Amino acid sequence: RLSDDHANRVTPLSGTPLTGPGLLHDRTVVRSALLRGTQHLCAGDDYHWLRPTLHPALERMAGRAGRLGGCDPEAFDAAGREIMAEGPLTRPELARRLAARFPEADLGELALVVHLRFALLHPPPAGTWGHRGRIGCVLAEDWLGRPLAAAPSAETLVLRYLAAFGPASVKDVQVWSGLTRLAALFATLRPRLRVFRDENGMELYDLPHAPIEEADAPAPVVFLPEFDNAVLGHADRSRILHPGDRPLVMPGWSIVRPTVLVDGFVAATWSRKGPSVEIAPFRPLAPADRSSVQEEAERLVGFVAPGETPEVRWA
């Protein structure tokens, strides 16, 4: 469980270990649009404070470029809740029903608006391994059986973030979360944090007893999924991406490709189909590193396709 002096780097959106295939079904884990408007899994116990904390950033995204078409936001929210009370709907279905009531809004934008503006959860089978197909939406309060927190908890979010990604700057947290104007909160937390300066003089904050590895400590090969927070967790991506490699990982169109870390830096992208894994290194790998990547790819297949014979191809 995370606390101010938690000594391990852990996933920031969960205060308790999240394992087991039934957690989505028993509502211990939920799936929703959270950080930066993208889909995340988090503990149900955390969602009730996390969603209100992120709401200002999500609402700002929802209202960007006049997506509500000038309709009354309060009336829009009330209508959305009234419609959702009738039962699970997909986002496009909810958007069409709202468009019938608010013809001034752009139907093409409404699916995104409801995705960001309402506290919606996607119950299983959405979020389960290998699921493809219809994704329903329910109001979070109905699914969790309790109201969301009345007030945000940015302090909790910042401390969870530092537990996973510190040392980090104020800008790092803001880029990762989508929240703004956190400098005042960091000033309040400062007596409880360790403060460093990077080579450019920027202040970096961390939890007081969090470990920091030696610069020459070996880092294992790691396969990361698309949109992984290790890649997106800081404003300064040079701590994990070599100069010039960013377009290979983030080519645009809201794409963040699955990556392979070698010695702590992104060295390749990867893709999988069944037991076959294709690896596309950005530059030739040293023989020992290539062997470690091959071994980890085979271990990955053992996890996602148990019983299958791994096939590793190099692009």
Side-chain angles (χ1 to χ4, degrees):
R1 186 172 294 274
L2 298 182
S3 63
D4 296 355
D5 58 353
H6 189 66
N8 297 310
R9 301 297 184 201
V10 295
T11 181
L13 298 190
S14 169
T16 55
L18 302 180
T19 58
L23 297 182
L24 280 165
H25 292 274
D26 67 17
R27 310 185 190 195
T28 302
V29 171
V30 295
R31 181 177 187 263
S32 180
L34 291 169
L35 302 165
R36 305 176 301 276
T38 58
Q39 295 292 332
H40 286 74
L41 296 175
C42 79
D45 286 342
D46 287 331
Y47 186 88
H48 84 281
W49 65 263
L50 179 60
R51 183 56 173 74
T53 301
L54 296 174
H55 182 73
L58 298 174
E59 187 177 42
R60 188 168 61 249
M61 293 174 64
R64 191 174 296 159
R67 285 172 172 150
L68 282 178
C71 60
D72 182 348
E74 291 188 7
F76 183 86
D77 291 351
R81 295 183 66 85
E82 178 187 332
I83 293 169
M84 288 301 301
E86 299 175 15
L89 295 170
T90 66
R91 287 198 304 265
E93 289 168 345
L94 176 56
R96 285 193 293 271
R97 295 182 64 171
L98 282 167
R101 300 193 187 192
F102 300 93
E104 66 271 33
D106 182 351
L107 176 59
E109 295 281 5
L110 276 184
L112 177 61
V113 170
V114 300
H115 170 81
L116 297 170
R117 193 169 182 87
F118 298 130
L120 301 178
L121 299 178
H122 308 303
T128 56
W129 191 261
H131 170 70
R132 295 290 185 273
R134 187 180 188 274
I135 297 178
C137 301
V138 295
L139 288 171
E141 294 178 353
D142 293 343
W143 184 254
L144 293 174
R146 58 172 168 163
L148 301 184
S153 186
E155 177 179 318
T156 302
L157 183 63
V158 166
L159 296 176
R160 293 281 185 91
Y161 170 89
L162 292 177
F165 299 122
S169 68
V170 175
K171 186 177 180 181
D172 287 331
V173 184
Q174 292 183 158
V175 168
W176 171 79
S177 66
L179 299 179
T180 59
R181 302 178 182 178
L182 293 179
L185 174 58
F186 271 87
T188 301
L189 292 173
R190 188 184 182 95
R192 296 162 53 187
L193 302 174
R194 295 171 72 188
V195 183
F196 304 90
R197 288 188 182 274
D198 67 12
E199 59 272 21
N200 298 315
M202 180 177 291
E203 289 191 335
L204 304 177
Y205 299 87
D206 205 359
L207 300 186
H209 304 299
I212 296 179
E213 294 287 352
E214 297 294 333
D216 58 353
V221 167
V222 177
F223 278 65
L224 297 177
E226 59 184 348
F227 291 100
D228 192 85
N229 278 309
V231 175
L232 300 174
H234 299 88
D236 179 11
R237 306 276 166 77
S238 67
R239 61 169 65 198
I240 195 168
L241 282 167
H242 290 294
D245 288 350
R246 182 167 176 162
L248 299 171
V249 177
M250 305 169 192
W253 308 285
S254 299
I255 294 172
V256 182
R257 289 173 173 150
T259 55
V260 183
L261 302 187
V262 176
D263 196 26
F265 281 85
V266 174
T269 56
W270 65 277
S271 60
R272 181 190 69 87
K273 186 174 182 180
S276 176
V277 176
E278 181 172 284
I279 301 163
F282 301 158
R283 56 192 59 84
L285 297 174
D289 291 334
R290 185 181 174 99
S291 177
S292 295
V293 171
Q294 175 93 17
E295 181 179 335
E296 187 65 11
E298 293 173 355
R299 197 170 77 89
L300 170 69
V301 172
F303 171 71
V304 299
E308 300 281 352
T309 301
E311 178 189 358
V312 179
R313 296 184 288 115
W314 294 83

